[in-house]
Amino acid sequence: MLILVAVLLAMSAACPWLVRRWGRRAFLLISLGPLAGTAWVAAQGPAMSRGETLSETHPWVESIGMELAFRMGPLQWLLAMVVLGVGSLVLAYCTWYFRDDSLGVPRFAGVLTAFVAAMLGLVLADDLLLLYVFWEMTTVFSFLLIGHDPARRASRQAAIQALVVTTLGGLSMLVGALILGHVGGTHRISELLADPPTGVAVTVAIHLLLVGAISKSALVPFHFWLPAAMAAPTPVSAYLHAASMVKAGVYLVALLAPVYAGVAGWRPLLLVLGIATMLLGGLRALRQTDLKLLLAFGTVSQLGFLIMVLGIGTRSALLAGLALLLAHALFKATLFLVVGIIDRSAGTRDLRRLSGLGRRMPVIAGATVLAAASMAGVPPLLGYVAKESVLVAVLDVAKDGDGTGLAGAAGWLTLLGVVLGSVLTAAYSARFVWGAFATRTVEEEPTLARIHPGFAAGPVLLAALSLVLGFFGRPITELLSPYLEAVPEGVHHAELSLWHGLGLPLLATLLALAGGALMFVMRDRVARLQSRWQLDWSLERAYRSGMRVLDRTAVEVTGVVQRGSASAYLGIILAVVVVVPGSTLIGAWGDIDVAPWEHPAQAVIGVVIVAAAVMATRSRRRLRAVLLAGATGYGTALLFVMQGAPDLALTQALVETLTVVVFVLALRRMPEYFTDRPLSRQRYWRMALGLAVAIVSAGFMLVAAGARVADPVSLMLPQEAVDYGGGKNIVNVILVDARAWDTFGEITVLVAAATGVASLIFVNTRGTGIRRVHEVPYPATVRKQPTSPGRRPWLAAPRTLPPESRSIIFEVVTRLMFHTIVVFSIYLLLVGHNEPGGGFAAGMVTGLALVVRYLVGGRYELDEAAPVDAGRLIGGGLAVAALAAVLPLAFGGSILQSAIVDLHIPLLGDLHLVTSALFDVGVYLVVVGLVLDLLRALGSHIDRQVVRARRESEAGLVNEPVAGETTSAEEAARA
């Protein structure tokens, strides 16, 4: 079963290519996929009649116990036959429906085939969560199919409307599935049906599932989305109304009814909504002049009928409901396909403009008469067999209750509703045949295009099946009887038959047909009566009004919170943190025993941190605020040191240093002061918000620490780090061994951040602006200092600067310290598994070495120190980390598994290495590349902008700046 669904999905991916290559003829080839599936499913029919089931399970998301579980019983078999059989005919029908110049046909073919696969997966799924996945897949594919023509506003609105309504129901269904799975201890549908849980939670879950079914099957109050979906091409309408999407809700009710029909509120809900939908859809169908809309409202009516019958939940009602489901699929697919033929050949679907088609399309007219007669319940068609069985089942309920508790007035009202609905069904069935094929007076009979025999093959075949299957009531009963075993036997033996004897069901059928014929004969009076009672309000209008209010509210809220102000965004986020999760701290303090400090020096550092933070909030100068904020970070690093966390302290100090440098580089192009205006009172609100965030954050930590009832995991970490990761540095072992997947995700985020920086700042690719010192022409104002032949001086870029822009002391310090810093970073990289360090800290140290080179000599010195594209470094680091993750597989290990390697290096001693150090190397390269990217973006790139602006203001030139004109680097260094 999984293979069948997978093959159809794979075919959907190949469909666009097939259609582009072979044109419309490719639909015939595509239809062979569902046709082969139909043959395979049909071959399982004998096994289904014997009560056997097919099931298969494949692992999927094992962490939450979710599997690809499929199961086929008689109910699933019937739905699969409908889904695949009708799908195959509809796909073949598309060969002649579309024209050579029709737009979007390749995409349409792929989406429709995927729709077939999703619907098949839905009916075969044996897991509620898997069923929900396919449920939402049908929603998405129907959205794409209904909105096939994006140029038409009606298509876009109808697609969005269907998406909103069915997704809302789908979310309700998901909640119900989660509750039912939690109460029942499993999400496996077969197990929940075999051993159904009980209780209030189950009742709530079942009703939430019913909301999903009602919205999907377009019952009141969600019925309005289905007629609007007629904006889709006719093949979509035929498949949507006959075999998929709307049948999903019917299937869900049929799946749950044998076991859960006794849940409180099940029958009243489905019976009331079903009958109301049946009557409303029938009345609306009588008012339509568009044949397609007439059928659409007829579908709404029939869906209400189906849900109502299955909702009764007795054995005879369920059998009749499944027969009605099959009959509906056959006659509704036939009629929609006929509408497509009429539309393509006559150029219109308006019954007021059609005349004489019956004598010019005799075969198609005959198929239409059979299908419409089946819809109206005329013997001996399958529709009559199903409807007669429905009347028998409802009559049993009305007389004896049949275990439903509906005996008496409720049962007789249900029977009355069915008869009235059947009268309307017969009336609009006759209206459809008359409107499509009758000869009457019109301004001009439409000219018919030639109809290919293949175009009519689908509706003719389906109409013939409606007739033939009317004589196969007993075999269908035997085939579906295993599905009914969970339901007690009723007053009468559940059986599909052409003849149930003389009695009230036959009388009700005759009354329905006679009443429908009378309404058709008096159609003009009925139309005038309907127009007189027409209401100005409708649920569709309420939906659109609600959507307008939602759109307007979204615009107003967006105008308030999305003002382009970073401070406003941050303030809103922090305010939500304080109010929503922060409010949970009220009353949650418990017994908290907190020592103010372990050493008086901690209190001194804390005072300094607080003082720096307060001064930062009061500062009007940007640079001062940045430096004060950095002081709080360095104070935090000192607290880490005093608490015995040197690794955290090192990382904190390095990050804080680089952050200050980056801020300084960015602030060069910004005003010195935050504002020239007097400080407003708003800053006090910001200070209060900051204080509130601090209190809430501290509260979370204190409450979490005080609520601990078990021994902390940190007690085991020292020994586990040695045994599991081969290292004594607990932090590094966690990062590159225990939680290496998290670290890999984090460096991937760093790569994304670097890509974002590059896309926002660099006009060209990253590496286009890299220029070595020997490639830069010296300006006339700078004297080139001689060097020995064949020798290039180290730290050469400062020589390109004007004398007044150089700092000799800085150059000397750089010459002395640069190599030491780089060697120190390599040391941190190698010893990180046992001592403070690691790939991140080593990368930050190397990045700070590059910062020193940039500050001493400008962008040319930066390019001299690292003449490599930062993007390649970042990508290479990610590749090295990925290689370290999969390399153990080559040696029979698992992903990210580590091995310990001890080496003896002469003169240096013993070197203890873990293969996860290769992963650390990847982290190192990513961090170095990111720092280099920031330096080039906020340093070199801004340098060029500064020089270019200066040249434009002084000389009006826009050429590439030459050496000697870079002054922003030394300005940043002085800052």
Side-chain angles (χ1 to χ4, degrees), residues 43-114:
Q44 313 306 316
M48 297 297 106
S49 64
R50 294 192 299 267
E52 299 177 10
T53 58
L54 300 179
S55 60
E56 59 183 62
T57 303
H58 307 275
W60 190 17
V61 189
E62 297 182 0
S63 59
I64 60 174
M66 191 172 179
E67 298 174 321
L68 294 173
F70 297 93
R71 183 176 182 273
M72 181 189 291
L75 174 63
Q76 292 79 11
W77 181 89
L78 176 64
L79 267 296
M81 287 292 294
V82 170
V83 168
L84 292 171
V86 176
S88 177
L89 291 175
V90 169
L91 283 168
Y93 173 89
C94 292
T95 305
W96 299 279
Y97 177 82
F98 289 106
R99 300 186 176 93
D100 292 330
D101 58 349
S102 297
L103 297 177
V105 177
R107 171 179 169 273
F108 175 89
V111 177
L112 183 57
T113 307

Coordinates of all heavy atoms in Angstrom, one line a residue, residues 43-114:
A43 N -8.5 -6.7 -7.0 CA -8.1 -8.1 -6.8 C -8.2 -8.5 -5.3 O -8.2 -9.7 -5.0 CB -6.7 -8.3 -7.3
Q44 N -8.2 -7.5 -4.4 CA -8.3 -7.8 -3.0 C -9.8 -7.9 -2.5 O -10.0 -8.2 -1.4 CB -7.7 -6.7 -2.2 CG -6.3 -6.2 -2.7 CD -5.3 -7.3 -2.8 OE1 -5.2 -8.2 -1.9 NE2 -4.6 -7.4 -3.9
G45 N -10.7 -7.8 -3.5 CA -12.1 -7.8 -3.1 C -12.5 -9.1 -2.5 O -13.2 -9.1 -1.4
P46 N -12.2 -10.3 -3.0 CA -12.6 -11.6 -2.4 C -12.0 -11.7 -0.9 O -12.8 -12.2 0.0 CB -11.9 -12.6 -3.3 CG -11.9 -12.0 -4.6 CD -11.6 -10.5 -4.3
A47 N -10.8 -11.2 -0.7 CA -10.3 -11.3 0.7 C -11.1 -10.4 1.6 O -11.3 -10.7 2.8 CB -8.8 -10.9 0.6
M48 N -11.5 -9.2 1.1 CA -12.3 -8.3 1.9 C -13.6 -8.9 2.3 O -14.1 -8.8 3.4 CB -12.5 -7.0 1.2 CG -11.3 -6.2 0.8 SD -10.3 -5.6 2.2 CE -8.9 -6.8 2.2
S49 N -14.3 -9.6 1.3 CA -15.6 -10.2 1.6 C -15.4 -11.3 2.7 O -16.4 -11.6 3.4 CB -16.2 -10.7 0.3 OG -15.4 -11.8 -0.2
R50 N -14.2 -11.9 2.8 CA -14.0 -13.0 3.8 C -13.7 -12.4 5.1 O -13.4 -13.2 6.1 CB -12.9 -13.9 3.3 CG -13.3 -14.7 2.1 CD -12.3 -15.9 1.8 NE -10.9 -15.4 1.6 CZ -10.4 -15.1 0.4 NH1 -11.2 -15.3 -0.7 NH2 -9.2 -14.7 0.3
G51 N -13.6 -11.1 5.2 CA -13.3 -10.5 6.5 C -11.8 -10.3 6.8 O -11.4 -9.9 7.9
E52 N -11.0 -10.6 5.8 CA -9.6 -10.4 5.9 C -9.2 -8.9 5.8 O -9.9 -8.1 5.2 CB -8.8 -11.2 4.9 CG -9.1 -12.7 5.0 CD -8.4 -13.5 3.8 OE1 -7.5 -12.8 3.1 OE2 -8.7 -14.7 3.7
T53 N -8.1 -8.5 6.4 CA -7.6 -7.2 6.2 C -6.1 -7.2 5.8 O -5.4 -8.2 6.2 CB -7.7 -6.4 7.6 OG1 -7.0 -7.1 8.6 CG2 -9.1 -6.3 8.0
L54 N -5.7 -6.2 5.1 CA -4.3 -6.0 4.7 C -3.7 -4.9 5.6 O -4.4 -3.9 5.7 CB -4.2 -5.7 3.2 CG -4.7 -6.7 2.2 CD1 -4.5 -6.2 0.8 CD2 -4.0 -8.1 2.4
S55 N -2.6 -5.1 6.1 CA -1.9 -4.1 6.9 C -0.4 -4.2 6.7 O 0.1 -5.2 6.5 CB -2.3 -4.3 8.4 OG -1.8 -5.5 8.9
E56 N 0.2 -3.0 6.9 CA 1.6 -2.9 6.8 C 2.1 -1.7 7.6 O 1.4 -0.7 7.7 CB 2.1 -2.8 5.4 CG 1.6 -1.6 4.6 CD 2.1 -1.7 3.1 OE1 1.8 -2.6 2.4 OE2 2.8 -0.7 2.7
T57 N 3.3 -1.8 8.2 CA 3.8 -0.8 9.0 C 5.3 -0.5 8.7 O 6.0 -1.5 8.5 CB 3.7 -1.2 10.5 OG1 2.3 -1.5 10.8 CG2 4.1 0.0 11.4
H58 N 5.6 0.7 8.6 CA 7.0 1.1 8.3 C 7.4 2.2 9.3 O 6.6 3.1 9.6 CB 7.2 1.6 6.9 CG 6.6 0.7 5.9 ND1 7.3 -0.3 5.3 CD2 5.4 0.6 5.3 CE1 6.6 -1.0 4.4 NE2 5.4 -0.4 4.4
P59 N 8.6 2.1 9.9 CA 9.1 3.1 10.9 C 9.2 4.5 10.2 O 9.5 4.6 9.0 CB 10.4 2.6 11.3 CG 10.9 1.7 10.2 CD 9.6 1.0 9.6
W60 N 8.8 5.5 11.0 CA 8.9 6.9 10.5 C 9.6 7.7 11.5 O 10.8 7.9 11.6 CB 7.5 7.3 10.0 CG 7.6 8.6 9.3 CD1 8.6 9.2 8.7 CD2 6.4 9.5 9.0 NE1 8.3 10.4 8.1 CE2 6.9 10.6 8.3 CE3 5.1 9.5 9.4 CZ2 6.1 11.7 7.9 CZ3 4.3 10.5 9.0 CH2 4.8 11.6 8.2
V61 N 8.8 8.3 12.4 CA 9.3 9.2 13.5 C 9.3 8.4 14.8 O 8.3 8.4 15.5 CB 8.5 10.5 13.6 CG1 9.2 11.4 14.6 CG2 8.3 11.1 12.3
E62 N 10.3 7.6 15.0 CA 10.3 6.6 16.1 C 10.3 7.3 17.4 O 9.9 6.7 18.4 CB 11.5 5.7 15.9 CG 11.5 4.8 14.7 CD 12.7 3.9 14.6 OE1 13.5 3.9 15.5 OE2 12.7 3.1 13.6
S63 N 10.9 8.5 17.5 CA 11.0 9.2 18.8 C 9.6 9.5 19.4 O 9.5 9.6 20.6 CB 11.8 10.5 18.6 OG 11.1 11.4 17.7
I64 N 8.6 9.6 18.6 CA 7.2 9.9 19.1 C 6.3 8.7 18.8 O 5.1 8.8 18.9 CB 6.6 11.2 18.5 CG1 6.5 11.1 17.0 CG2 7.4 12.4 19.0 CD1 5.8 12.3 16.4
G65 N 6.9 7.6 18.4 CA 6.1 6.4 18.1 C 5.2 6.5 16.9 O 4.2 5.8 16.8
M66 N 5.6 7.3 15.9 CA 4.8 7.5 14.7 C 5.3 6.6 13.6 O 6.5 6.6 13.3 CB 4.8 9.0 14.3 CG 3.8 9.4 13.2 SD 3.7 11.1 13.0 CE 2.5 11.2 11.7
E67 N 4.4 5.9 13.0 CA 4.8 5.0 11.9 C 4.0 5.2 10.7 O 2.9 5.8 10.8 CB 4.6 3.5 12.4 CG 5.5 3.2 13.6 CD 5.1 1.8 14.2 OE1 3.9 1.4 14.2 OE2 6.1 1.1 14.5
L68 N 4.5 4.8 9.6 CA 3.7 4.7 8.4 C 2.9 3.5 8.4 O 3.3 2.4 7.9 CB 4.6 4.8 7.1 CG 5.4 6.1 7.0 CD1 6.4 5.9 5.8 CD2 4.5 7.3 6.7
A69 N 1.7 3.5 9.0 CA 0.8 2.4 9.2 C -0.3 2.5 8.2 O -1.0 3.5 8.2 CB 0.3 2.3 10.7
F70 N -0.5 1.4 7.5 CA -1.6 1.4 6.5 C -2.4 0.1 6.7 O -1.9 -0.9 7.1 CB -1.1 1.4 5.1 CG -0.4 2.6 4.7 CD1 1.0 2.7 4.8 CD2 -1.0 3.8 4.3 CE1 1.7 3.9 4.5 CE2 -0.4 4.9 3.9 CZ 1.0 5.0 4.1
R71 N -3.7 0.2 6.5 CA -4.6 -0.9 6.7 C -5.8 -0.8 5.7 O -6.3 0.2 5.4 CB -5.2 -0.9 8.1 CG -6.1 -2.1 8.5 CD -6.5 -2.0 9.9 NE -7.3 -3.1 10.4 CZ -8.6 -3.2 10.2 NH1 -9.3 -2.1 9.8 NH2 -9.3 -4.2 10.7
M72 N -6.1 -2.0 5.1 CA -7.2 -2.0 4.2 C -8.3 -3.1 4.7 O -8.0 -4.3 4.7 CB -6.8 -2.4 2.8 CG -7.9 -2.4 1.8 SD -7.4 -3.1 0.1 CE -6.4 -1.7 -0.4
G73 N -9.5 -2.6 5.0 CA -10.6 -3.4 5.3 C -11.7 -3.1 4.2 O -11.4 -2.4 3.2
P74 N -12.9 -3.6 4.4 CA -13.9 -3.4 3.4 C -14.2 -1.9 3.1 O -14.4 -1.5 2.0 CB -15.1 -4.1 4.0 CG -14.6 -5.2 4.9 CD -13.3 -4.6 5.4
L75 N -14.2 -1.1 4.2 CA -14.5 0.3 4.1 C -13.4 1.0 3.3 O -13.6 1.7 2.3 CB -14.6 1.0 5.4 CG -14.7 2.5 5.4 CD1 -16.0 2.9 4.7 CD2 -14.7 3.1 6.8
Q76 N -12.1 0.7 3.6 CA -11.0 1.3 2.9 C -10.9 0.8 1.5 O -10.6 1.5 0.6 CB -9.7 1.0 3.6 CG -9.5 1.6 5.0 CD -10.3 1.0 6.1 OE1 -10.8 -0.1 5.9 NE2 -10.4 1.6 7.2
W77 N -11.3 -0.5 1.3 CA -11.3 -1.0 -0.1 C -12.3 -0.3 -1.0 O -12.0 0.1 -2.1 CB -11.7 -2.5 0.0 CG -11.8 -3.2 -1.3 CD1 -10.7 -3.8 -2.0 CD2 -12.9 -3.3 -2.2 NE1 -11.1 -4.3 -3.2 CE2 -12.5 -4.0 -3.4 CE3 -14.2 -2.9 -2.1 CZ2 -13.3 -4.3 -4.4 CZ3 -15.1 -3.2 -3.2 CH2 -14.6 -3.9 -4.3
L78 N -13.5 0.0 -0.4 CA -14.5 0.7 -1.2 C -14.0 2.1 -1.6 O -14.1 2.5 -2.7 CB -15.8 0.8 -0.4 CG -16.9 1.6 -1.1 CD1 -17.4 0.9 -2.4 CD2 -18.1 1.7 -0.1
L79 N -13.5 2.8 -0.6 CA -13.0 4.2 -0.8 C -11.8 4.2 -1.8 O -11.7 5.1 -2.7 CB -12.6 4.8 0.5 CG -13.7 5.7 1.2 CD1 -14.1 6.9 0.3 CD2 -14.9 4.9 1.5
A80 N -10.9 3.2 -1.7 CA -9.8 3.1 -2.6 C -10.2 2.9 -4.0 O -9.7 3.4 -5.0 CB -8.8 2.0 -2.1
M81 N -11.2 2.0 -4.2 CA -11.8 1.8 -5.5 C -12.4 3.1 -6.1 O -12.1 3.4 -7.3 CB -12.9 0.7 -5.5 CG -12.3 -0.7 -5.3 SD -11.4 -1.3 -6.7 CE -12.7 -1.4 -7.9
V82 N -13.1 3.8 -5.3 CA -13.6 5.1 -5.8 C -12.5 6.1 -6.1 O -12.5 6.7 -7.2 CB -14.6 5.7 -4.7 CG1 -15.0 7.1 -5.1 CG2 -15.8 4.8 -4.6
V83 N -11.6 6.2 -5.2 CA -10.5 7.2 -5.4 C -9.7 6.9 -6.6 O -9.4 7.8 -7.5 CB -9.6 7.2 -4.1 CG1 -8.3 8.0 -4.4 CG2 -10.3 7.8 -3.0
L84 N -9.3 5.7 -6.8 CA -8.4 5.3 -7.9 C -9.2 5.2 -9.2 O -8.7 5.6 -10.3 CB -7.7 4.0 -7.6 CG -6.7 4.0 -6.5 CD1 -6.2 2.7 -6.1 CD2 -5.5 4.9 -6.9
G85 N -10.4 4.6 -9.2 CA -11.2 4.4 -10.4 C -11.6 5.7 -11.0 O -11.4 5.9 -12.2
V86 N -12.3 6.5 -10.2 CA -12.7 7.8 -10.7 C -11.5 8.7 -11.1 O -11.5 9.4 -12.1 CB -13.6 8.5 -9.7 CG1 -14.0 9.9 -10.2 CG2 -14.8 7.7 -9.4
G87 N -10.4 8.6 -10.3 CA -9.2 9.4 -10.6 C -8.6 9.0 -11.9 O -8.2 9.9 -12.7
S88 N -8.6 7.7 -12.3 CA -8.1 7.3 -13.5 C -8.9 7.8 -14.7 O -8.4 8.3 -15.7 CB -8.0 5.7 -13.6 OG -7.6 5.3 -14.8
L89 N -10.3 7.7 -14.6 CA -11.1 8.2 -15.6 C -11.0 9.8 -15.8 O -11.0 10.3 -16.9 CB -12.6 7.8 -15.3 CG -12.9 6.4 -15.5 CD1 -14.3 6.1 -15.0 CD2 -12.7 5.9 -16.9
V90 N -10.9 10.5 -14.7 CA -10.8 11.9 -14.8 C -9.5 12.3 -15.4 O -9.4 13.3 -16.2 CB -10.9 12.5 -13.4 CG1 -10.5 14.0 -13.4 CG2 -12.3 12.4 -12.8
L91 N -8.4 11.6 -15.1 CA -7.1 11.9 -15.7 C -7.2 11.7 -17.2 O -6.6 12.5 -18.0 CB -6.0 11.1 -15.1 CG -5.5 11.6 -13.7 CD1 -4.6 10.6 -13.0 CD2 -4.7 12.9 -13.8
A92 N -7.8 10.6 -17.6 CA -7.9 10.3 -19.1 C -8.8 11.3 -19.7 O -8.5 11.8 -20.9 CB -8.5 8.9 -19.3
Y93 N -9.8 11.8 -19.0 CA -10.8 12.8 -19.6 C -10.1 14.1 -19.9 O -10.4 14.8 -20.8 CB -11.9 12.9 -18.5 CG -12.9 14.0 -18.7 CD1 -14.0 13.8 -19.5 CD2 -12.7 15.3 -18.2 CE1 -15.0 14.8 -19.6 CE2 -13.6 16.3 -18.3 CZ -14.8 16.1 -19.0 OH -15.7 17.1 -19.2
C94 N -9.0 14.4 -19.1 CA -8.3 15.7 -19.3 C -7.6 15.7 -20.7 O -7.3 16.8 -21.1 CB -7.2 15.8 -18.2 SG -7.9 16.1 -16.5
T95 N -7.4 14.6 -21.3 CA -6.8 14.5 -22.6 C -7.5 15.4 -23.6 O -7.0 16.1 -24.4 CB -6.6 13.1 -23.1 OG1 -6.0 12.3 -22.1 CG2 -5.9 13.0 -24.4
W96 N -8.9 15.3 -23.5 CA -9.7 16.0 -24.5 C -10.3 17.3 -23.9 O -10.8 18.1 -24.6 CB -10.8 15.1 -25.0 CG -10.2 13.9 -25.6 CD1 -9.8 13.8 -26.9 CD2 -10.0 12.6 -25.1 NE1 -9.3 12.6 -27.2 CE2 -9.4 11.8 -26.1 CE3 -10.2 12.1 -23.8 CZ2 -9.1 10.5 -25.9 CZ3 -9.9 10.8 -23.6 CH2 -9.3 10.0 -24.6
Y97 N -10.3 17.4 -22.5 CA -10.8 18.6 -21.9 C -10.0 19.8 -22.2 O -10.5 20.9 -22.5 CB -11.0 18.4 -20.4 CG -11.5 19.7 -19.7 CD1 -12.9 20.0 -19.7 CD2 -10.6 20.5 -19.1 CE1 -13.4 21.1 -19.1 CE2 -11.1 21.7 -18.4 CZ -12.5 21.9 -18.4 OH -12.9 23.1 -17.8
F98 N -8.7 19.7 -22.0 CA -7.8 20.8 -22.2 C -7.4 21.0 -23.7 O -7.5 20.1 -24.5 CB -6.5 20.6 -21.4 CG -6.6 20.7 -19.9 CD1 -6.6 19.6 -19.1 CD2 -6.8 22.0 -19.3 CE1 -6.8 19.7 -17.8 CE2 -7.0 22.1 -18.0 CZ -7.0 20.9 -17.2
R99 N -7.1 22.2 -24.0 CA -6.7 22.5 -25.4 C -5.2 22.6 -25.4 O -4.5 22.7 -24.4 CB -7.3 23.9 -25.8 CG -8.9 23.9 -25.8 CD -9.4 25.2 -26.4 NE -10.9 25.1 -26.5 CZ -11.7 25.6 -25.6 NH1 -11.2 26.2 -24.5 NH2 -13.0 25.5 -25.8
D100 N -4.7 22.7 -26.7 CA -3.2 22.8 -26.8 C -2.6 24.1 -26.2 O -1.5 24.1 -25.8 CB -2.8 22.7 -28.3 CG -3.2 21.3 -28.9 OD1 -3.1 20.3 -28.1 OD2 -3.5 21.2 -30.1
D101 N -3.5 25.1 -26.2 CA -3.0 26.4 -25.7 C -3.4 26.7 -24.3 O -3.2 27.8 -23.8 CB -3.5 27.6 -26.6 CG -5.0 27.6 -26.7 OD1 -5.6 26.6 -26.2 OD2 -5.5 28.6 -27.2
S102 N -3.9 25.7 -23.6 CA -4.3 25.9 -22.2 C -3.1 26.1 -21.3 O -2.1 25.4 -21.5 CB -5.1 24.7 -21.7 OG -6.3 24.5 -22.4
L103 N -3.2 27.1 -20.4 CA -2.0 27.4 -19.6 C -2.0 26.5 -18.3 O -3.0 26.2 -17.8 CB -2.1 28.9 -19.2 CG -2.1 29.9 -20.3 CD1 -2.3 31.3 -19.8 CD2 -0.8 29.8 -21.1
G104 N -0.8 26.3 -17.9 CA -0.6 25.6 -16.6 C -0.9 24.1 -16.6 O -1.1 23.5 -15.5
V105 N -1.1 23.5 -17.8 CA -1.5 22.1 -17.8 C -0.4 21.1 -17.2 O -0.8 20.2 -16.5 CB -1.8 21.7 -19.3 CG1 -2.2 20.2 -19.3 CG2 -3.0 22.5 -19.8
P106 N 0.9 21.3 -17.5 CA 1.9 20.5 -16.9 C 1.8 20.5 -15.3 O 1.8 19.4 -14.7 CB 3.2 21.0 -17.4 CG 2.9 21.7 -18.7 CD 1.5 22.3 -18.4
R107 N 1.7 21.6 -14.8 CA 1.6 21.7 -13.3 C 0.3 21.1 -12.8 O 0.2 20.4 -11.8 CB 1.6 23.2 -12.9 CG 1.3 23.5 -11.5 CD 1.4 25.0 -11.2 NE 0.9 25.4 -9.9 CZ -0.4 25.7 -9.7 NH1 -1.2 25.6 -10.7 NH2 -0.8 26.0 -8.5
F108 N -0.8 21.3 -13.6 CA -2.1 20.8 -13.2 C -2.0 19.3 -13.2 O -2.6 18.6 -12.2 CB -3.1 21.2 -14.2 CG -4.5 20.6 -14.0 CD1 -5.4 21.2 -13.2 CD2 -4.9 19.4 -14.7 CE1 -6.7 20.7 -13.0 CE2 -6.1 18.9 -14.5 CZ -7.0 19.5 -13.7
A109 N -1.4 18.6 -14.1 CA -1.3 17.2 -14.2 C -0.6 16.7 -12.9 O -1.0 15.7 -12.3 CB -0.6 16.7 -15.4
G110 N 0.5 17.3 -12.6 CA 1.3 16.9 -11.4 C 0.5 17.0 -10.1 O 0.5 16.1 -9.3
V111 N -0.2 18.1 -10.0 CA -1.0 18.4 -8.7 C -2.2 17.4 -8.6 O -2.4 16.9 -7.5 CB -1.4 19.8 -8.6 CG1 -2.3 20.1 -7.4 CG2 -0.2 20.8 -8.6
L112 N -2.9 17.2 -9.7 CA -4.0 16.3 -9.7 C -3.6 14.9 -9.4 O -4.3 14.2 -8.6 CB -4.8 16.4 -11.0 CG -6.0 15.5 -11.1 CD1 -7.0 15.9 -10.0 CD2 -6.7 15.6 -12.5
T113 N -2.5 14.4 -9.9 CA -2.0 13.1 -9.6 C -1.6 13.0 -8.1 O -1.8 12.0 -7.5 CB -0.8 12.7 -10.5 OG1 -1.2 12.9 -11.9 CG2 -0.4 11.3 -10.3
A114 N -0.9 14.0 -7.6 CA -0.6 14.1 -6.2 C -1.8 14.1 -5.3 O -1.8 13.5 -4.2 CB 0.3 15.3 -5.9

